Amino acid sequence: MIVSEIISEIRHKRWEDKSASWGLVPTMGSLHEGHLSLVRQAREENNRVAASIFVNPIQFNRKNDYDSYPTNLASDLELLEREGVDLVWTPQKSLVYPEIFQTYIDVTQLSKVLEGAARPGHFQGVTTIVAILFNVFQPTRAYFGQKDAQQEAVIRRMVEDLHFNIEIRSCPTVREKDGLAMSSRNANLTKKARAAAPVLFRALNLAKVAIEKGEISSKNIYQLLKNEIEKSECAQIDYISIADQKTLNEIKIIAGNVLISLAVFWDEVRLIDNIRISNK
Ligand code: PAF
């Protein structure tokens, strides 16, 4: 496995064999099974696999969140090597964002709702770094987790609008045994919050069951989710959304392809989760 901070070295390895297909797994490090499932999927679908490890400062809108983001480069590299990754880019912040840096990518509508409304500037940071990664690696395919459903939608929009010749692949959310979606931020939960946090997936499943039984009112589903989550006294709901999966516009009647997503604070730690529902 080649690990380098230097763009020319990454490009050299990338283009060594021009006929090889490459899967790219962009990460911010602190890797868990969720990331590894993306790597495995990339391994299955490509001749070579690349990853990036870079905690992207411009996608954090709260300094505290950036400062407390867990990092563990040595064990991340060990995990990637074990998974048979061929190439890893671990750039310095000053290389990616030199002082003179002034080019940002903004997906103007999709990135302003939900996570974008709660975290202004977040998706501009994500699309800017992902475009940089796409240009450095020029992968055949790039892999993202469905836990970040809006991120996937925003990146797909950018790829289509800017004609990146890259296939976007998304992989199912990987969960702990108790249903909590795997996230690097889980490590920052207090013991009490960690014990309570599986309520998010439980609530989403209750919503799913209610819809399967015929509930079509978003208002009722919203209330069901809110009641369930508020049973846990340390949860602070940031938002609950019931939206069209593609446009991310809120819907009143649950029909078609629906994304139910939520963000909840546990003290300073903000967790997101979602489920996709097809209600024909
Ligand atoms: O999903 C993430 O970990 C990040 O948003 C990404 C795509 C690596 C960009 O920094």
Side-chain angles (χ1 to χ4, degrees):
M1 181 172 86
I2 305 268
V3 181
S4 177
E5 295 182 5
I6 299 164
I7 294 177
S8 58
E9 288 183 4
I10 298 293
R11 288 198 165 133
H12 179 78
K13 176 75 183 167
R14 159 63 180 100
W15 292 108
E16 216 174 43
D17 172 1
K18 289 192 178 54
S19 65
S21 62
W22 279 83
L24 171 66
V25 181
T27 83
M28 297 205 297
S30 192
L31 303 182
H32 50 66
E33 272 301 311
H35 299 105
L36 301 184
S37 75
L38 302 180
V39 170
R40 287 170 198 144
Q41 185 80 24
R43 192 67 289 152
E44 261 173 44
E45 297 177 353
N46 301 276
N47 305 124
R48 307 259 192 283
V49 178
S52 58
I53 299 179
F54 179 63
V55 183
N56 177 33
I58 68 166
Q59 73 184 74
F60 289 81
N61 62 315
R62 292 184 303 134
K63 189 173 177 307
N64 187 30
D65 192 22
Y66 176 63
D67 290 344
S68 64
Y69 201 83
T71 54
N72 202 342
L73 186 60
S75 83
D76 287 347
L77 292 175
E78 229 176 276
L79 286 170
L80 293 177
E81 176 129 52
R82 220 177 293 153
E83 292 297 330
V85 168
D86 300 278
L87 178 62
V88 188
W89 191 35
T90 55
Q92 293 296 322
K93 194 164 97 180
S94 56
L95 173 76
V96 179
Y97 301 119
E99 262 175 39
I100 197 168
F101 188 90
Q102 48 194 297
T103 306
Y104 297 87
I105 291 185
D106 195 20
V107 175
T108 56
Q109 289 170 33
L110 274 182
S111 70
K112 299 298 182 286
V113 295
L114 305 176
E115 285 300 286
R119 305 172 65 190
H122 168 66
F123 285 117
Q124 189 189 71
V126 170
T127 42
T128 300
I129 189 65
V130 169
I132 292 170
L133 295 170
F134 285 179
N135 282 327
V136 170
F137 285 97
Q138 301 191 319
T140 318
R141 300 180 184 86
Y143 293 79
F144 299 90
Q146 288 172 4
K147 181 170 79 67
D148 296 297
Q150 187 176 9
Q151 171 170 280
E152 181 193 333
V154 168
I155 290 170
R156 283 187 189 279
R157 184 76 265 134
M158 173 185 81
V159 163
E160 232 177 284
D161 289 351
L162 299 184
H163 302 280
F164 279 102
N165 190 17
I166 295 169
E167 187 186 340
I168 301 301
R169 307 280 292 139
S170 77
C171 305
T173 302
V174 178
R175 297 182 180 279
E176 303 286 356
K177 279 202 183 81
D178 58 13
L180 180 64
M182 287 199 184
S183 161
S184 308
R185 289 189 174 86
N186 293 350
N188 292 341
L189 291 168
T190 62
K191 224 172 159 190
K192 192 171 166 204
R194 174 62 191 84
V199 72
L200 302 184
F201 190 49
R202 263 201 321 275
L204 288 167
N205 272 322
L206 283 179
K208 184 168 177 249
V209 170
I211 293 165
E212 280 165 1
K213 284 188 178 154
E215 180 61 79
I216 55 163
S217 156
S218 292
K219 205 169 147 200
N220 292 346
I221 292 295
Y222 177 95
Q223 204 53 49
L224 185 153
L225 284 159
K226 186 167 182 290
N227 291 346
E228 187 64 21
I229 293 167
E230 283 179 346
K231 281 184 193 160
S232 165
E233 54 184 43
C234 48
Q236 286 285 339
I237 296 173
D238 193 9
Y239 68 75
I240 294 173
S241 158
I242 301 163
D244 176 85
Q245 235 173 67
K246 197 150 186 215
T247 64
L248 301 183
N249 291 332
E250 297 296 313
I251 51 175
K252 288 201 167 101
I253 300 294
I254 298 176
N257 294 326
V258 179
L259 177 73
I260 303 183
S261 59
L262 44 81
V264 173
F265 276 104
W266 307 86
D267 308 307
E268 285 292 294
V269 184
R270 186 172 178 279
L271 299 183
I272 59 171
D273 203 350
N274 67 73
I275 48 168
R276 296 166 196 226
I277 284 170
S278 250
N279 204 26
K280 301 291 175 202

